[in-house]
Amino acid sequence: MARNPIPRATYRLQFNRQFTFDDAVALVPYLQELGVSHCYASPYLKARSGSPHGYDIVDHNALNPEIGDDRSFGRFVTALARHGMGHILDFVPNHMGVGGDDNAWWLDLLENGQASSYADFFDIDWHPHEKALRGKVLVPFLGGYYGDLLENGELHLAFDAQRGEFSVWYLQHRFPLDPRTYPGILEYGLERLTERLGADQPRLAEYQSLSTAFSHLPARRERAAAKLEERRRDKEVHKRHLAELCTAEPRIGAFIEENVASLNGEPGEAATFDRLHEVLEGQAYRLAYWRVAADEINYRRFFDINDLAGLRMERPEVFAATHRLVLQLVAEGKLDGLRIDHADGLYDPAGYFTRLRMEIHAALAERAEPAGGGTAPDFYLVAEKILIGPERLVDGWPVQGTTGYDFANAVNDLFVNPAAQRDLDRIYARFIGQRGDFAEMLFQCKQLVMEAQLSSELTMLADMLDGIAQSDRHTRDFTRNGCRGAVAMLVACFPVYRSYIAANRVSEDDRRYVEAAVAQAKKRSPGDVSIFDFIRRILLEDTGAPEASRRRRAARFALKLQQYTAPVMAKAQEDTAFYRYHRLVSLNEVGGDPRRFGTTPAAFHRANQERAQKWPYAMLTTSTHDTKRSEDVRARIDVLSELTDEWRKRVGRWARFARRHKRMVDGIPAPSRNDEYLFYQTLLGVWPLESPGERAFDDLRERVLRYMLKAVKEAKTHTSWLNPNLAYEEALDYFVMAMLDRTGRNPFLADFLPFQARVARFGLWNGLSQQLLKLTAPGVPDIYQGTEVWDFSLVDPDNRRPVDYRRRRDLLHRLRAAARGRDGARLAQDLMEHPEDGRAKLFVTWRALEARHRFPEVFAGGAYLPLAADGAQADHAVAFARQANGRTVITIATRWFATLLGDEKRLPVGEAVWTDTGIELPDPAAAWENLFTGETVRPDAAGDKPRLSLARTLACFPVALLVPAEVGS
């Protein structure tokens, strides 16, 4: 039987050299037992050696040999099929890993420049403002200044005699030389070779003729197709000839090696490096210190990562070359879905998804024809698109939805008490000594990112805008510097990651975002603001202008601008402001907005209803490889919104304990009060459920220290990746280790641990509700590896630690056996009495996934009905029903347990907790079965509408999943 193309539930696996295809094969039976229908694989195409994540792909048409080969991949696919499962691949079209010696396209580009077959594959500005870079690509892979490294002998010329080619090496990076420049090496000191071989030696004449042939290769800037083909063909012929000549006459090879040694110079004698410098100046690239990239790089990167170069996926030949293997896997029935990474980096995302969907349909049609034709089956396709604020996914994209960060933030907000916002504002401001304004902070962080990390891309946009301005007498008075400032201001004021304007295509959302950015930019600009009207006209009017040339220039500027606003927002918000603003760090999540403090059940229901209507198969996530904190860490930290008074007292005491562990750095105590505030929340979030032994405690300290060092570097306030402040980092190291010292009396830990234990217990109940909501809301739930039980991870690399699957398998087998042989209510009570072992979360996951399997029509596209709560504890319940084909499944989740339970160490179950609280029912079923406890619950007899008592429904477990009793049985 064919697999359903729409997953029932996915399970994210992080593949790397420590977790291979064969490791996944062994895991498949467990995932099937858990109830997962599709593995959701991290990138497994050929990536840089040792890559822990796979996003630095160097060959889109080969499997990563560190993960497996064709045979082990086949075993993986076969194992999935045998268990009725499929898999989804996380695919990376936006960029490739470059540098090193493993990307054939990039090496060909370095060797041949604009004459390379791949010159148009990478997003390179071959005509930058900097004249010295025209026709070249800046290669900022050096760890120091070019001249210093050259004269230290760290740039090393080498000759590969077997391939007949020259390269310069720096560490692991290879920089091929343009074959047209070989004669400068081959002919140096030719009289020495003549003397050794003899003037009449045929090999000498052959050698001289070959050198001349290299010099006659068409130049890199040649554009005629015939000349380009001649160069590409003949350079390889000549290199093979040179290799053969070196084999036939070893003295020629020895002569070349002597010349190479001479060019490599003598460290300490600067003049001996002049010839190698001259050779490098003649190449299609300019080697540079990595810091130069921020100002002068002329290829688009993934954010500010120099060794991830952007691809021009809008070009058909690039799309075809990068998607060949993936589409082959689709056609062969070995791949069931794609998650498209970093869609906002693409030049034209809508065009890309349209093309991808067409090619997928063609591949599926190939597969379907031998079976008798008919309509090709559908295919699961989701986009990694970050939505913030009121932003919605573009309606026209032919995808199933996003990867679920919007849901992660919406569900987390349910567990944040909005009434605590003012109190936490005051506590935070008082602790750090200043009032935090996230909007202003984000604006400043955008300016910082554009100035320090993405300045070269801003310069390119300014040049484009200046070119448009100078082409019209009405706008030519706008200066290049003015254009640069205006673009920077507009980007800093842009309210979302990006818009999606294209030629003849401006949506109402796009118009609203541009108008908002222009209005804000005008308010913030002290000088002439008419330039913003000029930019507005380009974006909103000229992209649809009747004149083709004007429309093309405007559309190109708009499309390139949109590729810039997204990385600026991401670097400024996710990787800077989120590490500076610590009022309640559970709100600092990818796709989140710390200014949005909590939500109402009504707002949560509206979001679910909208998804059910527009994107019923969107992915739902709560933890990913990119989240700043795992779902269970956030669920804990959310509890602080219910304990504001105690939190204020606790952090005040802890700060007094901490004073003696701070050091003076640059005249102020380090770490800062702001970083200290982050430390306390982080520690609350990651502390183990059970008291850690010596080894586990050492591991915990190291994890917290690594995280704090990363956080302060990302914040870029006291130290940074670009400009490390070692004194500050050493002070932070000392602080963390001293605060977590268990060798003697530690008043901080003595006061911290009882409070942490209380917060952690409430966080567990939050976690159960969060998991149930994800598994039953409209969409396709995803489980990040290992999070079917409690997982208290921080941002990567902490969240990519190996997962103990043996323990999870054993827990599931024990749960299944207990469910078969024990009263359901007694099992639920046992789980509640021992929540720290993770079985409760695993139990909710397994039973909810089992329900999705039993009632696929209800969850795959069923209607969504919010259910109202009433009674004394109505604010603590969130409930909804899913309905299809006369079947109903009801979800009841609970929240705000610190407020609900107070200081009493009781469970959030039973009549003493829920008193008169109830849930209105969508239909008058005579009885409902709770799939978690096996109990039958009957509606109250009184009242106009059928109603379920939470005191009875939640008698022994804090969440419920209900079906009509006759269906459940």
Side-chain angles (χ1 to χ4, degrees):
M1 186 176 69
R3 292 187 297 270
N4 188 335
I6 302 301
R8 183 170 65 251
T10 61
Y11 191 97
R12 172 75 177 206
L13 293 174
Q14 292 295 119
F15 284 96
N16 51 52
R17 60 169 57 168
Q18 274 80 44
F19 188 86
T20 67
F21 290 135
D22 282 333
D23 293 318
V25 168
L27 200 60
V28 167
Y30 162 71
L31 296 179
Q32 186 208 32
E33 285 185 54
L34 184 62
V36 170
S37 67
H38 289 68
C39 286
Y40 167 24
S42 67
Y44 54 59
L45 303 183
K46 187 177 180 181
R48 180 130 297 149
S49 178
S51 174
H53 46 71
Y55 288 95
D56 44 1
I57 290 173
V58 296
D59 186 349
H60 283 85
N61 294 305
L63 298 174
N64 188 337
E66 295 183 347
I67 296 172
D69 55 16
D70 288 341
R71 287 177 298 177
S72 58
F73 178 72
R75 289 193 291 271
F76 173 56
V77 172
T78 300
L80 290 170
R82 189 181 302 127
H83 289 82
M85 297 171 63
H87 88 281
I88 297 162
L89 172 63
D90 189 344
F91 185 71
V92 188
N94 176 71
H95 54 267
M96 293 186 79
V98 298
D101 182 35
D102 45 13
N103 187 326
W105 295 355
W106 181 255
L107 294 172
D108 190 89
L109 172 77
L110 295 183
E111 180 184 74
N112 301 289
Q114 290 174 276
S116 169
S117 301
Y118 307 103
D120 292 331
F121 276 45
F122 296 95
D123 199 349
I124 298 170
D125 180 7
W126 294 103
H127 306 285
H129 185 75
E130 180 66 39
K131 290 183 180 179
L133 269 179
R134 291 177 186 171
K136 296 191 174 193
V137 59
L138 185 80
V139 182
F141 296 135
L142 304 185
Y145 293 105
Y146 164 78
D148 293 343
L149 296 183
L150 177 72
E151 294 176 14
N152 287 340
E154 295 182 56
L155 301 179
H156 183 76
L157 177 66
F159 175 60
D160 185 337
Q162 292 185 325
R163 297 176 60 88
E165 62 186 20
F166 294 93
S167 299
V168 168
W169 286 84
Y170 172 71
L171 302 177
Q172 77 274 24
H173 301 293
R174 181 163 78 91
F175 308 107
L177 298 190
D178 178 354
R180 204 169 187 262
T181 67
Y182 284 11
I185 304 170
L186 297 175
E187 296 177 9
Y188 178 71
L190 190 60
E191 64 279 1
R192 287 183 285 115
L193 183 61
T194 303
E195 183 178 338
R196 294 172 192 173
L197 296 182
D200 297 332
Q201 231 280 4
R203 295 293 188 192
L204 177 64
E206 186 179 353
Y207 178 79
Q208 290 174 306
S209 175
L210 180 57
S211 180
T212 301
F214 275 119
S215 69
H216 288 168
L217 286 170
R220 296 192 303 265
R221 297 190 183 187
E222 183 64 64
R223 300 267 59 87
K227 288 290 185 182
L228 289 173
E229 179 56 34
E230 177 188 342
R231 176 188 169 96
R232 294 165 186 167
R233 179 190 66 240
D234 289 356
K235 71 180 178 66
E236 295 303 318
V237 171
H238 298 339
K239 285 194 284 186
R240 286 195 298 271
H241 190 177
L242 180 59
E244 292 164 0
L245 198 54
C246 289
T247 300
E249 177 50 78
R251 288 175 292 180
I252 290 177
F255 170 73
I256 293 173
E257 290 294 352
E258 289 174 10
N259 285 353
V260 166
S262 175
L263 262 72
N264 278 327
E266 290 291 336
E269 299 179 22
T272 63
F273 293 93
D274 290 348
R275 286 178 41 242
L276 181 55
H277 171 66
E278 184 180 342
V279 168
L280 286 169
E281 288 293 277
Q283 302 310 309
Y285 48 84
R286 175 191 152 199
L287 300 184
Y289 187 16
W290 62 265
R291 291 180 181 273
V292 176
D295 290 329
E296 294 189 4
I297 200 167
N298 61 330
Y299 63 88
R300 183 174 61 84
R301 301 166 289 175
F302 174 69
F303 298 152
D304 61 341
I305 303 175
N306 295 343
D307 58 3
L308 294 178
L311 292 170
R312 299 184 64 188
M313 204 50 59
E314 68 275 12
R315 297 185 66 87
E317 68 272 23
V318 180
F319 182 97
T322 50
H323 290 70
R324 188 177 306 120
L325 175 58
V326 162
L327 291 172
Q328 176 187 328
L329 295 178
V330 173
E332 293 172 353
K334 297 177 179 178
L335 184 60
D336 305 282
L338 287 171
R339 177 256 200 197
I340 302 303
D341 180 67
H342 194 50
D344 275 350
L346 300 172
Y347 188 71
D348 179 13
Y352 170 80
F353 284 119
T354 299
R355 184 190 300 262
L356 178 59
R357 184 61 81 178
M358 288 173 55
E359 295 293 343
I360 288 170
H361 278 316
L364 291 171
E366 287 181 29
R367 189 170 89 199
E369 282 174 359
T375 303
D378 202 356
F379 187 87
Y380 192 62
L381 183 61
V382 288
E384 187 208 25
K385 164 61 192 167
I386 311 302
L387 304 170
I388 58 176
E391 188 180 9
R392 296 291 181 267
L393 187 61
V394 179
D395 284 338
W397 288 5
V399 299
Q400 263 68 50
T402 74
T403 53
Y405 289 110
D406 43 328
F407 177 82
N409 285 280
V411 73
N412 180 73
D413 285 349
L414 276 176
F415 302 98
V416 176
N417 189 344
Q421 179 171 359
R422 184 173 297 177
D423 285 343
L424 282 178
D425 279 342
R426 282 197 295 260
I427 295 168
Y428 180 45
R430 189 174 303 159
F431 191 91
I432 67 172
Q434 64 185 60
R435 185 170 295 279
D437 182 339
F438 185 79
E440 185 60 29
M441 181 182 290
L442 178 58
F443 175 79
Q444 293 172 2
C445 289
K446 284 186 174 184
Q447 290 183 313
L448 174 64
V449 165
M450 287 186 282
E451 177 184 346
Q453 296 170 276
L454 300 173
S455 177
S456 56
E457 292 87 346
L458 176 61
T459 299
M460 183 271 294
L461 287 167
D463 289 344
M464 291 179 67
L465 182 62
D466 183 56
I468 296 172
Q470 298 310 309
S471 68
D472 188 328
R473 63 175 177 262
H474 296 98
T475 55
R476 70 179 190 179
D477 288 340
F478 293 135
T479 65
R480 182 172 178 271
N481 194 49
C483 289
R484 195 178 198 279
V487 172
M489 181 60 75
L490 187 80
V491 172
C493 295
F494 214 76
V496 294
Y497 277 68
R498 66 168 283 175
S499 52
Y500 299 94
I501 297 167
N504 296 314
R505 191 179 72 215
V506 180
S507 72
E508 285 306 309
D509 284 341
D510 294 332
R511 187 175 301 279
R512 186 169 64 255
Y513 302 145
V514 171
E515 296 282 14
V518 166
Q520 189 65 22
K522 285 182 175 182
K523 289 180 182 178
R524 287 183 174 272
S525 299
D528 180 10
V529 297
S530 60
I531 192 169
F532 296 111
D533 294 320
F534 169 54
I535 298 175
R536 178 199 169 280
R537 187 167 65 249
I538 292 173
L539 297 175
L540 301 184
E541 297 176 19
D542 289 358
T543 49
E547 301 91 344
S549 62
R550 182 178 169 194
R551 186 171 64 248
R552 275 197 304 271
R553 293 183 77 176
R556 176 161 172 73
F557 174 75
L559 289 160
K560 296 304 289 185
L561 175 69
Q562 292 169 148
Q563 281 183 297
Y564 185 62
T565 60
V568 170
M569 174 68 89
K571 292 301 295 181
Q573 177 158 296
E574 297 172 29
D575 293 344
T576 309
F578 279 178
Y579 291 97
R580 291 184 176 188
Y581 186 78
H582 305 316
R583 177 187 58 186
L584 186 68
V585 296
S586 56
L587 298 177
N588 295 10
E589 193 48 83
V590 177
D593 186 344
R595 292 166 291 188
R596 190 180 65 210
F597 198 94
T599 192
T600 63
F604 179 73
H605 291 317
R606 283 195 298 273
N608 284 340
Q609 288 173 312
E610 183 177 338
R611 190 183 321 106
Q613 181 181 4
K614 291 187 173 182
W615 308 103
Y617 308 124
M619 190 173 279
L620 308 179
T621 191
T622 41
S623 289
T624 77
H625 60 289
D626 271 340
T627 43
K628 301 301 181 185
R629 292 161 189 85
S630 71
E631 59 202 49
D632 296 322
V633 170
R634 291 196 307 272
R636 275 187 184 177
I637 296 173
D638 289 342
V639 175
L640 296 179
S641 69
E642 301 179 69
L643 300 172
T644 56
D645 190 52
E646 186 172 357
W647 172 243
R648 175 182 58 79
K649 295 173 183 175
R650 294 279 183 173
V651 293
R653 279 201 297 273
W654 301 341
R656 289 193 294 274
F657 299 145
R659 285 174 190 161
R660 63 192 180 97
H661 300 311
K662 294 196 174 189
R663 295 177 175 178
M664 297 301 292
V665 176
D666 300 326
I668 60 172
S672 70
R673 296 277 282 187
N674 195 39
D675 292 336
E676 184 183 351
Y677 203 74
L678 172 63
F679 170 73
Y680 297 139
Q681 292 183 71
T682 300
L683 208 57
L684 280 173
V686 302
W687 197 272
L689 285 167
E690 298 178 337
S691 180
E694 185 175 345
R695 180 179 296 180
F697 187 72
D698 288 344
D699 179 63
L700 173 67
R701 289 205 304 178
E702 286 299 321
R703 287 176 56 212
V704 172
L705 176 60
R706 284 195 299 268
Y707 171 77
M708 289 301 301
L709 286 171
K710 174 171 181 170
V712 297
K713 284 174 177 285
E714 296 285 14
K716 308 171 190 65
T717 302
H718 303 288
T719 185
S720 68
W721 300 108
L722 292 176
N723 296 296
N725 182 340
L726 295 182
Y728 189 88
E729 293 176 21
E730 288 168 3
L732 178 63
D733 186 318
Y734 176 80
F735 176 83
V736 171
M737 291 302 170
M739 293 292 282
L740 298 181
D741 184 0
R742 291 201 307 188
T743 58
R745 180 178 175 273
N746 187 328
F748 164 67
L749 286 180
D751 192 73
F752 170 81
L753 289 176
F755 179 68
Q756 192 282 332
R758 184 161 167 248
V759 169
R761 193 166 181 83
F762 295 140
L764 297 182
W765 313 142
N766 280 348
L768 290 182
S769 286
Q770 180 175 239
Q771 188 79 335
L772 177 60
L773 291 169
K774 177 178 71 173
L775 295 171
T776 56
V780 175
D782 173 58
I783 301 166
Y784 182 69
Q785 59 175 27
T787 61
E788 64 270 33
V789 300
W790 306 124
D791 177 75
F792 303 103
S793 295
L794 297 166
V795 74
D796 71 283
D798 194 63
N799 60 12
R800 291 174 179 155
R801 289 170 296 143
V803 176
D804 185 351
Y805 285 116
R806 177 176 294 178
R807 174 174 173 266
R808 285 158 175 78
R809 253 192 308 255
D810 290 346
L811 285 177
L812 181 60
H813 290 163
R814 285 161 49 196
L815 273 176
R816 291 170 66 92
R820 286 193 297 269
R822 190 188 305 181
D823 173 77
R826 288 182 58 195
L827 174 59
Q829 288 170 347
D830 179 49
L831 297 177
M832 292 299 289
E833 289 168 2
H834 303 92
E836 67 284 343
D837 62 16
R839 289 180 302 146
K841 187 178 181 186
L842 183 61
F843 180 70
V844 167
T845 304
W846 166 50
R847 296 309 295 260
L849 291 180
E850 190 177 55
R852 292 186 71 91
H853 180 64
R854 289 175 60 193
F855 312 115
E857 71 285 359
V858 172
F859 292 103
Y864 180 93
L865 290 84
L867 301 182
D870 59 43
Q873 310 297 355
D875 287 343
H876 297 272
V878 179
F880 56 79
R882 304 295 308 279
Q883 289 184 325
N885 300 333
R887 287 187 172 174
T888 300
V889 178
I890 293 175
T891 292
I892 301 176
T894 49
R895 62 176 186 155
W896 296 351
F897 298 99
T899 310
L900 180 69
L901 302 175
D903 290 329
E904 297 181 45
K905 293 183 178 180
R906 52 180 176 160
L907 299 175
V909 296
E911 186 173 4
V913 173
W914 294 106
T915 62
D916 64 342
T917 308
I919 298 292
E920 290 185 0
L921 294 176
D923 56 52
W928 297 83
E929 180 183 342
N930 187 337
L931 297 181
F932 294 141
T933 66
E935 296 173 309
T936 298
V937 187
R938 299 186 183 280
D940 293 342
D944 297 333
K945 295 182 178 179
R947 178 183 181 276
L948 273 184
S949 162
L950 289 193
R952 294 197 304 275
T953 307
L954 306 180
C956 57
F957 206 63
V959 294
L961 189 59
L962 308 174
V963 296
E966 65 275 10
V967 175
S969 60

